[in-house]
Amino acid sequence: MTTEPAHDPRPIFTRALDQAGQQVAAVSPEELSNRTPCADYDVRALLGHVVAVLHKLARIGTGGDARDLPDVLDGIADDGWASAFTRARSEVEQVWADDEKLDRMVELPWATMPGRAALEAYTHEFTVHSWDLAHATRRLAELDPDLAAQALEAFSKFAPPEARSEQGPFSPVVPVPDDADVYTRLAAYLGRRP
């Protein structure tokens, strides 16, 4: 009896990083103070968070503890965000190029899971933050709806509405029309106000 090879999350992760990188590169210095759907972040802070998440993911992939890394990087020049993202992404891709890391257990700030599951979780995080940036800078038309559909399916499994509170990482679901586009439904599901 043969078993199917396990799903490789890296191609879809790469697509999510491509999308996030495009959003990061499109931000102009004049947009850095724009508000985002993330209550605590303006665009500059959200960029700092996205780059910080890449650093955490590289640390996790090498077996390190990411909890001692900041959640938001600062000190990046107004015109330096795209290069900071590119450098951090390159490090992540080098670390996670090793197939063995996909089945190794890794410790995330909130759970311990196989590397492939961690990459899937971060794929969805980058998808959501791409929407956050696109919403804050009015570039929503540039988003990949397939990434949002996959993220919405994943979040509905591990972040059910009944497990939410005002203090948790996800606010209660925001109602949206049934015919709302998939990114609007994803954002609303996570408690963001589209």
Side-chain angles (χ1 to χ4, degrees):
M1 183 172 118
T2 60
T3 59
E4 268 187 50
H7 168 72
D8 186 344
R10 291 173 294 193
I12 190 87
F13 178 66
T14 296
R15 282 176 51 200
L17 289 182
D18 287 345
Q19 175 169 269
Q22 289 165 359
Q23 289 295 324
V24 170
V27 172
S28 68
E30 297 76 35
E31 294 169 324
L32 291 172
S33 61
N34 288 9
R35 295 188 59 177
T36 74
C38 300
D40 298 336
Y41 295 156
D42 62 6
V43 169
R44 181 190 311 275
L46 183 56
L47 292 173
H49 175 65
V50 167
V51 175
V53 168
L54 287 169
H55 287 292
K56 287 178 184 253
L57 189 50
R59 173 81 60 89
I60 289 162
T62 59
D65 187 346
R67 290 175 292 192
D68 61 346
L69 295 177
D71 288 332
V72 177
L73 289 180
D74 55 17
I76 307 284
D78 287 358
D79 62 354
W81 289 106
S83 58
F85 181 93
T86 300
R87 283 191 308 274
R89 175 186 179 164
S90 177
E91 182 183 5
V92 166
E93 289 175 333
Q94 287 174 359
V95 166
W96 288 94
D98 179 358
D99 291 347
E100 289 184 9
K101 292 196 173 158
L102 297 178
D103 292 314
R104 188 176 303 152
M105 296 301 285
V106 295
E107 189 169 332
L108 307 182
W110 69 89
T112 300
M113 61 183 67
R116 74 182 64 248
L119 284 183
E120 288 173 354
Y122 281 106
T123 295
H124 307 315
E125 178 170 355
F126 282 108
T127 297
V128 172
H129 287 322
S130 290
W131 179 85
D132 292 329
L133 282 171
H135 187 273
T137 60
R138 297 171 188 79
R139 293 187 182 90
L140 292 169
E142 301 170 16
L143 298 174
D144 179 343
D146 185 51
L147 288 172
Q150 292 186 44
L152 184 56
E153 181 180 347
F155 280 116
S156 65
K157 290 177 185 166
F158 67 79
E162 59 274 9
R164 312 280 184 87
S165 73
E166 293 295 338
Q167 287 73 43
F170 306 114
S171 300
V173 174
V174 174
V176 291
D178 292 341
D179 62 350
D181 70 87
V182 68
Y183 272 96
T184 299
R185 294 196 322 267
L186 172 62
Y189 186 80
L190 298 176
R192 288 159 164 79
R193 299 206 174 271

